[in-house]
Amino acid sequence: MAISAQLIGSEEVAHAFALYPEKVREALGGAALKMAILASRTSVTEYIDGQRLAVQTGTLARSVVASPKRVDDGHVVGASFGTNVGYGVAYETGDWAGLVREVLEKQELRFEPVRGLGKKRPFLEPALKQLEARIDMEFRTALEGVNFG
């Protein structure tokens, strides 16, 4: 079970993206990766580390990573950030039943006290919302910096 932000219709976007000049693709891809890294850091520092979720082992915080999305020619066309830790998904979505199903399917038996069981305490989505204006500005700045001459 993993959770990440992704663009719906990304294949169509990647195809359209390939029609842009290489300089534009590089600028936008770089901006996307930069913002995914910032969003992952914001998620960890402002929404996991002791404010929304009580840090016990640091596993969830270490699992939040940014990844570039590349097309066939190797260009970065976007990026995502997220976690592959099951209870992180449960905190983000509030779907604790899904976590229990996953644990049972793996036939694992764990006895861990979980504070706030059943509560939705997102840490990815709020970080993205907090950065909306900055993300918009970053893409605009990246495009303004492209020299077409």
Side-chain angles (χ1 to χ4, degrees):
M1 180 184 280
I3 189 167
S4 65
Q6 98 178 23
L7 178 64
I8 295 175
S10 60
E11 295 307 316
E12 293 85 2
V13 171
H15 176 70
F17 194 74
L19 301 176
Y20 286 112
E22 186 172 348
K23 290 178 182 180
V24 173
R25 293 193 314 248
E26 289 175 1
L28 292 177
L33 184 56
K34 180 179 177 181
M35 289 297 94
I37 292 168
L38 180 61
S40 66
R41 286 183 187 153
T42 301
S43 174
V44 170
T45 58
E46 297 190 26
Y47 295 96
I48 292 178
D49 285 350
Q51 293 188 21
R52 293 253 174 116
L53 305 173
V55 174
Q56 293 180 9
T57 64
T59 300
L60 180 59
R62 285 189 307 275
S63 77
V64 178
V65 295
S67 304
K69 166 94 170 115
R70 298 181 187 277
V71 289
D72 293 337
D73 66 359
H75 283 91
V76 174
V77 296
S80 65
F81 76 104
T83 180
N84 62 355
V85 174
Y87 63 87
V89 176
Y91 275 126
E92 185 73 20
T93 65
D95 180 15
W96 288 91
L99 177 62
V100 170
R101 279 192 304 275
E102 180 182 321
V103 169
L104 292 175
E105 286 170 6
K106 291 181 180 178
Q107 297 181 340
E108 294 177 1
L109 199 54
R110 293 185 290 178
F111 297 97
E112 297 178 21
V114 179
R115 287 187 272 160
L117 187 63
K119 290 173 92 176
K120 180 179 177 180
R121 293 193 283 174
F123 54 95
L124 298 172
E125 183 181 357
L128 198 55
K129 284 186 178 179
Q130 178 182 329
L131 296 171
E132 278 180 358
R134 173 109 185 248
I135 291 168
D136 183 57
M137 181 192 70
E138 190 68 33
F139 281 111
R140 290 177 190 275
T141 302
L143 286 175
E144 289 170 1
V146 174
N147 181 356
F148 292 100

